[in-house]
Amino acid sequence: FDEVGFKEYTKRMKKAKVENWRTIVRDARMHIAEKLRDWKTFIALAEVKWNEEKLADVELYRWGNLIYEHCQNEDLRYQMAQWLAERVIELERQERIRGMSTITSYRGFLEKLVNDLLNK
C-alpha cells in the first residue's frame, strides 16, 4: 500500500473540494485495513462510520462476519457484538411498532452473529 500516494490523493480531493471526500477516504482506509487484516483500525473506522451514517443491515452483517471469521481479539469481537446487539434491539422495536417482521429482516442473522462473536 502506497501511504504517501494515498495522502497525496486525499490532499487533491480536499483541494478540489470533492463532495464527501472524508467519507471516501474513510471507506478506502476501511477497505485497506480489511485487506491488511488490521482489525483494530477497521473497527475504529467502522465506529466512525456507524456514528455518522445510517448503515444497511447487510453491511453490519458483513462487518460482523469479517470480525467473526478473522479477528481473535476479544475486545474487538465484543465491540462488534455490541453494535449488532444495538441494531437487533432497534429491529425488534420497529417490528413491535409495525406488529410484524419483514421477510428482509436481518434480525435473526444478527442475533446469531452476536452469539457467535461472544462464544468463539
Side-chain angles (χ1 to χ4, degrees):
F1 174 67
D2 179 8
E3 184 67 39
V4 173
F6 189 77
K7 286 181 180 179
E8 274 302 312
Y9 170 68
T10 300
K11 285 180 189 176
R12 286 196 319 268
M13 279 197 300
K14 185 176 177 181
K15 185 177 180 181
K17 298 181 181 173
V18 172
E19 187 175 337
N20 297 321
W21 69 269
R22 284 184 177 91
T23 301
I24 294 167
V25 169
R26 184 205 51 233
D27 289 350
R29 289 212 174 269
M30 278 185 73
H31 181 74
I32 293 161
E34 177 184 340
K35 295 303 176 194
L36 296 175
R37 304 287 195 234
D38 178 359
W39 301 118
K40 186 175 181 179
T41 299
F42 181 87
I43 290 286
L45 294 167
E47 183 171 24
V48 172
K49 187 168 184 166
W50 167 266
N51 290 323
E52 289 180 355
E53 298 179 23
K54 168 84 169 103
L55 300 174
D57 292 337
V58 68
E59 186 167 14
L60 288 173
Y61 185 70
R62 187 181 82 75
W63 290 356
N65 272 315
L66 283 171
I67 298 302
Y68 173 70
E69 292 174 4
H70 303 290
C71 178
Q72 300 306 315
N73 181 302
E74 289 183 21
D75 292 335
L76 298 177
R77 292 172 69 88
Y78 181 78
Q79 187 172 0
M80 179 58 65
Q82 281 185 304
W83 295 342
L84 298 177
E86 285 178 33
R87 182 62 184 144
V88 166
I89 291 168
E90 177 59 24
L91 289 170
E92 287 173 342
R93 188 186 70 74
Q94 290 173 3
E95 290 171 4
R96 276 194 308 277
I97 291 170
R98 282 192 307 265
M100 64 179 182
S101 65
T102 64
I103 195 160
T104 59
S105 176
Y106 270 78
R107 183 177 140 204
F109 296 111
L110 296 175
E111 285 175 324
K112 182 181 180 322
L113 194 50
V114 167
N115 290 328
D116 291 346
L117 283 163
L118 295 175
N119 296 314
K120 184 176 181 184

